[in-house]
Amino acid sequence: MSGSNTVFYVAAGGALAGTVRVAGDKSISHRSIMLGSLAEGVTEVNGFLEGEDCLATMNAFRAMGVKIDHLGEGQVRIEGVGLKGLKKPAAALDLGNSGTSMRLMSGICAGQDFDVTLIGDASLSKRPMRRVTDPLMAMGARIETSEGGTPPLRIFGGHSLKGMDYVLPMASAQVKSCVLLAGMYAEGETCTTEPAPTRDHTERMLNGLGYAVQRSGARTCLQGGGTLSGTQIDVPADISSAAFFMVGASIAPNSDITLENVGINPTRDGVITILREMGADIEVLNRREVCGEPVADIRVRSARLKGIHIPEVQVPLAIDEFPAIFVAAACAEGTTVLTGAEELRVKESDRIQVMADGLQVLGIRAEPTADGIRIEGGQLGSGTVQSHGDHRISMSFAMAALRTSGPITIEDCANVNTSFPGFVDLAARCGLNITQN
Ligand code: S3P
């Protein structure tokens, strides 16, 4: 892991231009390692995100005996060991900053016949895990958390799991995925019902590796005891990483950028819907399907944005993009109101509070509420903002500089490497006046 003292310095102004490919999709990259490891035979992955989060997943599966070769930039070859082939790791598995690794792997580890301990960094160690341990224990798993329901997770092996019908209390793809992955190890059928659509990469990839998943509306079911077959997986660029450039190009006059090969899965495209509703000029070009996932090129040109009340149905569809959307709101004419987004308070940081604090430093009226925020668009000033080690906060404020009246400094940016290594170089190439220490 890199140190925590990386600082971004961003001079005011500039425009974004060019045709670029942003980092690979984080959610799909994690799942490619997990399902590839549990498959029979070899899985080859292209476009794998070599960010710290996905590397944590990769190292965890290596520690459980899976041979995973890094063939080159974004190319990974996994020799699957089958659903029953994982081995007891020699030490606790350190999942760093990655909530996806911990929540999805808890479902897999609950089905093993050995004990595993999952640990993480300071941020992950504060995040809620009962949302996964509760349903897993109801299936028959034995797991200990800290008193507050946070990591470390001690998962005791050798407990047989029973399929269950789980109604999720919150819209969370991590919880849904955890239960379905445990369901592969459970007797009988496991079903999840979600309160609103969330990203469905797990379901799509399970089907892609030959494990039947039935979906009907909000309900998803699978039978335990199946098998996965190794395959070839092409990972698209991450719409969550593209979002920073979509916002940057929208707010900076004279911008015209094309983001190539971006995943536009309908459970992830809320940022396009929301920005368009704010008046953004976004064209989705060359739509195609790659390995069961919809992909397109996205062209964004500058536009005058206006404040909106963000429709609550869009919240889970844009859950990781709100820090960037808040920057768009700060540059928009009028007020933007977000409600129904209390989940943002338990991400890598409390994204409602941390964004409100940073926008206020820059002179914007941003009022946090229990489940959202109210932002009045205005002129952004200069100053020093704290990212609290949250990658998406760092990158969102970097883009804000395109419209500030003076330079901004962003502290604690090392975790940008969890999801978007190379962000600074790519953003600078596109026209952002950014350097880091
Ligand atoms: C993810 C699901 C989302 C998202 C996270 C990645 C996934 O979390 O915020 O970055 O890959 O399943 P929740 O399930 O907690 O909403």
Side-chain angles (χ1 to χ4, degrees), residues 65-78:
V66 183
K67 186 166 186 297
I68 306 178
D69 291 320
H70 209 155
L71 303 178
E73 186 68 18
Q75 269 186 297
V76 173
R77 182 178 187 276
I78 308 162

Side-chain angles (χ1 to χ4, degrees), residues 26-27 31 100 103-104 131 171-175 177 199 319-320 343 347-348 392:
K26 181 155 77 72
S27 293
R31 287 158 172 82
T100 307
R103 299 219 179 95
L104 270 59
R131 55 179 61 198
S172 166
Q174 293 179 350
V175 176
S177 300
R199 66 191 67 193
I319 193 67
D320 290 338
E343 277 292 305
K347 294 296 178 188
E348 288 83 327
R392 301 200 194 282

Side-chain angles (χ1 to χ4, degrees), residues 1 30 53 56-57 93-105 118-130 132 146 148-153 174 346-349 388-389 415 418:
M1 295 284 142
H30 279 299
D53 278 11
T57 293
L93 301 177
D94 186 350
L95 303 172
N97 195 241
S98 178
T100 307
S101 308
M102 189 167 288
R103 299 219 179 95
L104 270 59
M105 286 181 60
L118 305 180
I119 60 172
D121 70 4
S123 153
L124 183 54
S125 298
K126 284 192 229 140
R127 296 181 66 186
M129 292 297 151
R130 288 207 176 112
V132 289
S146 79
T150 55
L153 296 189
Q174 293 179 350
V346 291
K347 294 296 178 188
E348 288 83 327
S349 71
H388 290 266
N415 281 336
T418 61

